Amino acid sequence: MHENIKSGDIIYLGIPNDALNFDGAFRVLDSEKTNTGTSGMFLLSENLIGTGKGIIFKELPKPVNNEYCGSNAQKWCRDFFENNFTLPEKEAVLQTYKSDAAYVKIHMWELLGGKQRKGECPFSAAPGILKGDRLFPLSAEEAANPDYGLDSDALRTAYLGNKPAAWWLRSPHAPDFPKDVGIVFYNGWLLDFIESKRSVFGKAPICMRPALNLDAAKITDVIKINEYGEAENNTYREWTIRFAGESEKAFKDRIKRYAYGKRESRKSYKAPATKMNFIVKAGLTIFVKIVDMRRRLSGEKK
């Protein structure tokens, strides 16, 4: 029943929660496979979930570690799934078992004085990081994957309400920054950040943008709500799905549940003005020097 649903489309599921800015919109990253390569569909929340207060990834433990398992972020995903999805939806969401390989995100930074600098943001391998999880953050590698349409800063930028904000990833940074985990900044940069923070330097709250794998065999009916775009390769559709075990009344209620077209009403991220651009470059220049010093002290390569 899902043959017409394509990667890039929007599927609505879950129970909207205005207090957490959850509208039920999920982007289809892969319409044929899960993130482990098995048959199914891989979805990502189209918009950010949370409040202006932000969400802590993990309280700094002793000894210090930046593992996703046992983190506040993992508990948040479990609680959110339990409280914001109906029983037929829950039964259609697959348990995911996955290990993440090591990954290095390459950046080209613009620094003060017109200088450019290649930067590397390394993330450690995480064996068995997902152990039956049904809702989970993306890994750093998934959040930069061109096959998922996330291979640029602009494409990674996501919104809390109509304002761009930051979102946690599940990937642990390499040991030279043992308190840091992956994050996507409010301007789409894929970097790392201290796990116990709620905001990016007070500029934007850090939110959740959970993903899930859907059992396509549990889809019994689909209704196309809207279609956007003019060219075929720029067209995406919005769908509401009926799941196995869901009554006709429940399905009709589901269709009425959502405020469609949220993607169309978002405000685009604006590049910083001249003064702010100088501040960003100055901050990057200082940051690069700190990273270089830390890696020299720890014997790591730049």
Side-chain angles (χ1 to χ4, degrees):
M1 297 300 298
H2 74 288
E3 291 82 2
N4 292 327
I5 300 175
K6 305 299 182 185
S7 298
D9 285 357
I10 298 291
I11 289 175
Y12 285 85
L13 68 155
I15 303 169
N17 185 327
D18 291 341
L20 292 175
N21 292 282
F22 175 55
D23 60 7
F26 283 83
R27 186 193 304 186
V28 181
L29 298 185
D30 193 318
S31 62
E32 300 295 333
K33 300 188 300 297
T34 69
N35 71 329
T36 63
T38 59
S39 179
M41 301 175 72
F42 186 34
L43 311 182
L44 174 68
S45 176
E46 173 65 4
N47 299 302
L48 302 183
I49 304 174
T51 69
K53 294 181 179 180
I55 295 168
I56 290 174
F57 182 92
K58 191 173 191 175
E59 300 283 358
L60 287 178
K62 293 182 180 180
V64 169
N65 72 78
N66 51 6
E67 297 173 2
Y68 174 67
C69 295
S71 67
N72 298 48
Q74 186 182 49
K75 182 179 185 303
W76 184 96
C77 286
R78 288 174 175 170
D79 290 346
F80 188 83
F81 181 75
E82 182 62 32
N83 296 326
N84 292 276
F85 291 82
T86 65
L87 182 58
E89 289 171 333
K90 291 176 181 177
E91 292 177 343
V93 176
L94 295 165
Q95 288 184 290
T96 299
Y97 296 85
K98 192 174 189 294
S99 295
D100 292 341
Y103 173 73
V104 178
K105 180 68 175 74
I106 304 298
H107 296 274
M108 187 58 70
W109 299 121
E110 292 186 14
L111 308 179
L112 291 177
K115 296 180 180 178
Q116 286 194 329
R117 164 69 184 273
K118 179 182 176 182
E120 297 183 357
C121 189
F123 296 94
S124 296
I129 190 170
L130 299 179
K131 301 177 180 179
D133 300 65
R134 295 184 188 272
L135 204 65
F136 48 86
L138 294 183
S139 70
E141 185 171 16
E142 289 167 349
N145 191 333
D147 292 338
Y148 295 154
L150 296 170
D151 51 327
S152 73
D153 295 343
L155 293 172
R156 280 188 294 269
T157 301
Y159 297 76
L160 183 68
N162 63 359
K163 294 182 180 180
W167 44 289
W168 290 117
L169 305 174
R170 67 178 185 263
S171 300
H173 192 277
D176 52 333
F177 284 86
K179 299 177 184 179
D180 285 17
V181 295
I183 192 175
V184 174
F185 279 16
Y186 57 89
N187 59 358
W189 288 348
L190 197 167
L191 288 167
D192 58 289
F193 205 64
I194 299 174
E195 59 192 356
S196 60
K197 300 297 184 182
R198 292 181 179 272
S199 72
V200 176
F201 310 124
K203 177 70 175 177
I206 309 174
C207 306
M208 299 297 290
R209 193 183 186 188
L212 59 86
N213 288 309
L214 199 62
D215 183 353
K218 294 290 180 71
I219 299 174
T220 62
D221 196 6
V222 296
I223 298 292
K224 184 173 74 173
I225 305 298
N226 292 311
E227 184 166 339
Y228 301 98
E230 297 177 359
E232 176 59 30
N233 61 359
N234 192 37
T235 298
Y236 75 90
R237 293 147 291 271
E238 294 183 320
W239 303 89
T240 302
I241 288 175
R242 183 175 179 179
F243 295 104
E246 191 171 40
S247 69
E248 182 70 23
K249 181 182 184 305
F251 182 44
K252 288 180 179 179
D253 289 344
R254 172 195 296 282
I255 294 172
K256 301 173 186 176
R257 182 185 296 166
Y258 305 106
Y260 301 99
K262 287 290 187 180
R263 182 185 272 188
E264 292 292 283
S265 63
R266 300 182 317 181
K267 292 181 179 178
S268 299
Y269 172 75
K270 294 181 179 179
T274 303
K275 181 178 179 181
M276 182 55 68
N277 191 41
F278 172 83
I279 294 172
V280 169
K281 289 182 179 180
L284 277 173
T285 303
I286 295 169
F287 172 74
V288 167
K289 289 182 178 180
I290 291 173
V291 171
D292 287 347
M293 181 179 67
R294 283 286 296 271
R295 290 179 176 167
R296 281 197 298 271
L297 291 173
S298 63
E300 298 280 342
K301 292 183 178 181
K302 294 182 182 179

